[in-house]
Amino acid sequence: MRVLSGIQPTGPFHWGNYFGAIRQYIDLQDQAAEAYYFIANLHALTTVRDRNLLRQYTLDGAIDLLALGLDPEKAVLFVQSDVPEVSELCWLLLTGTPMGLLERCVSYKDKLAKGLKADAGLFTYPVLQAADILAYDADVVPVGEDQVQHIEVCRDIAGSFNHHFGETFVLPKAKILDHSARVPGTDGEKMSKSYGNTLAVFDDVKAQRKQIMRITTDSRPMDQPKAPEGDVLFDLYKLVASESQVAEMAALYRRGGFGYGEVKKSLADAAEAFFAAARQRRADWSRRPDDVRDVLQSGAAKARAKAAATLARAQAACGVKGY
Ligand code: ADP
Ligand code: TRP
């Protein structure tokens, strides 16, 4: 099994990104024969238009992944733009991609529906993602449900290239990450950068505590019991507390006679403990940014070797090499 996944550096990673995606694909580094993980900065360029921010989010994203357990001995970690072969492959794939296929993609459709102007980068976003996947002959792509359509587009594009020019690409499969890991935000809606309801994985401990204390709750009287499931505080607590702590908290909800203040305090304590080791590793890596760049450079070298071989195969297949 060759696993590949990417994440856009569009801001600090939040609990939704971690529990919904990052944690699950980092876990796969132990099962896969080969694992490739990258920071999708070319994709992020469709939304982040400030060069300093993009640079910062890119390096921070890599530091976060290392701190959260990505092991460069087990997985190849790199930055998307350090493998130019992928952009070249993207062009080969763009030719022959039907407009209608891309017009049906939700990220583009949503933007148009909101009355916003989309650029050609956003329109062709799924083709660059297809190039990302095909360049490394990935067969398993762990992604959240929101990305499944892009993997289907990738399979369509690869399938029709193979059909037209002969077997060139491996058709990948999406590995849909656990849907129950849909993380609620501080307002009870799905946690998302675009809703401004996120808890950052690596926020300052005190700031995060304050943010947790401000989470909106209902006006249930203190003496009344409450079903734990579906309550924002409880659902967040489940992610960071131990099994026995969760069982105790569930019992407290069912019994009643508690205030949300104490639940929030327990949530903040559990979150602090849960991320403590990662926070420590993050502090260590942050002090050595050049070591992080070295990891990324050696990851990119491995990734390039693989991508160059695939690109050469595709170039030969469609006749832009060997004239
Ligand atoms: P955002 O919605 O904050 O812009 P992204 O779309 O960049 O987040 O998320 C990257 C990945 O993280 C997604 O593909 C998805 O799998 C996962 N993810 C994001 N938010 C959540 C959430 N609230 N619950 C579960 N997974 C999430
Ligand atoms: N589009 C993905 C997201 O927003 C990120 C991404 C870019 C990706 N290229 C990829 C994911 C290739 C998997 C495979 O989450």
Side-chain angles (χ1 to χ4, degrees):
M1 173 171 76
R2 186 177 286 121
V3 171
L4 168 136
S5 199
I7 187 150
Q8 293 191 66
T10 44
F13 295 146
H14 55 71
W15 289 24
N17 301 142
Y18 177 65
F19 293 104
I22 296 170
R23 172 163 78 171
Q24 302 186 55
Y25 69 64
I26 288 181
D27 282 350
L28 285 172
Q29 71 186 356
D30 292 314
Q31 294 162 37
E34 284 177 54
Y36 292 85
Y37 299 128
F38 64 92
I39 308 290
N41 61 341
L42 295 176
H43 279 116
L45 199 51
T46 60
T47 48
V48 183
R49 307 293 296 167
D50 173 317
R51 78 172 80 85
N52 292 326
L53 264 188
L54 187 59
R55 285 176 182 142
Q56 183 199 325
Y57 290 159
T58 302
L59 190 66
D60 279 353
I63 295 177
D64 287 354
L65 294 182
L66 290 167
L68 291 168
L70 194 149
D71 179 351
E73 300 288 316
K74 294 181 183 160
V76 182
L77 174 65
F78 60 99
V79 174
Q80 186 181 31
S81 61
D82 285 336
V83 185
E85 286 78 5
V86 168
S87 298
E88 216 170 321
L89 182 61
C90 180
W91 176 258
L92 302 188
L93 301 177
L94 275 166
T95 64
T97 297
M99 296 290 283
L101 187 65
L102 302 181
E103 274 158 359
R104 284 194 294 278
C105 285
V106 281
S107 46
Y108 168 70
K109 267 200 329 205
D110 281 0
K111 193 149 185 178
L112 285 198
K114 284 187 194 134
L116 300 169
K117 284 209 180 95
D119 63 17
L122 185 76
F123 185 63
T124 56
Y125 181 115
V127 188
L128 180 60
Q129 183 159 349
D132 281 330
I133 297 168
L134 301 175
Y136 307 102
D137 292 334
D139 39 34
V140 176
V141 186
V143 282
E145 213 150 354
D146 57 322
Q147 293 297 314
V148 174
Q149 186 183 37
H150 289 163
I151 312 304
E152 288 307 316
V153 167
C154 173
R155 289 174 61 88
D156 273 5
I157 293 175
S160 65
F161 190 102
N162 285 352
H163 181 71
H164 197 85
F165 293 118
E167 281 308 306
T168 308
F169 298 119
V170 173
L171 259 56
K173 280 201 189 65
K175 178 177 168 61
I176 305 172
L177 300 172
D178 185 2
H179 184 54
S180 64
R182 181 183 182 280
V183 178
T186 51
D187 57 357
E189 297 301 315
K190 180 186 179 213
M191 186 179 287
S192 170
K193 256 185 314 281
S194 14
Y195 303 149
N197 62 358
T198 59
L199 291 172
V201 172
F202 290 116
D203 214 349
D204 167 70
V205 172
K206 277 202 192 122
Q208 181 146 93
R209 194 164 276 273
K210 275 200 189 139
Q211 217 187 344
I212 289 176
M213 295 316 284
R214 282 200 305 269
I215 292 179
T216 344
T217 51
D218 58 34
S219 50
R220 159 197 152 278
M222 279 203 21
D223 54 337
Q224 292 206 352
K226 183 179 165 92
E229 292 77 21
D231 179 71
V232 188
L233 292 177
F234 183 79
D235 287 346
L236 290 171
Y237 188 66
K238 264 198 314 203
L239 297 170
V240 289
S242 70
E243 241 174 83
S244 62
Q245 286 176 315
V246 173
E248 251 174 66
M249 184 63 82
L252 185 68
Y253 267 69
R254 294 200 184 95
R255 200 165 57 232
F258 68 96
Y260 287 128
E262 55 182 306
V263 182
K264 289 178 177 176
K265 193 176 165 305
S266 305
L267 172 60
D269 290 344
E272 189 178 335
F274 183 88
F275 289 114
R279 197 182 296 281
Q280 186 56 52
R281 284 196 296 269
R282 190 177 203 293
D284 292 345
W285 281 110
S286 300
R287 273 192 292 276
R288 303 180 283 126
D290 283 338
D291 289 351
V292 179
R293 292 188 184 98
D294 283 348
V295 167
L296 294 173
Q297 284 312 307
S298 86
K302 288 182 206 153
R304 279 195 81 169
K306 183 76 193 151
T310 312
L311 176 64
R313 214 161 66 221
Q315 286 171 324
C318 68
V320 297
K321 276 274 153 68
Y323 43 82

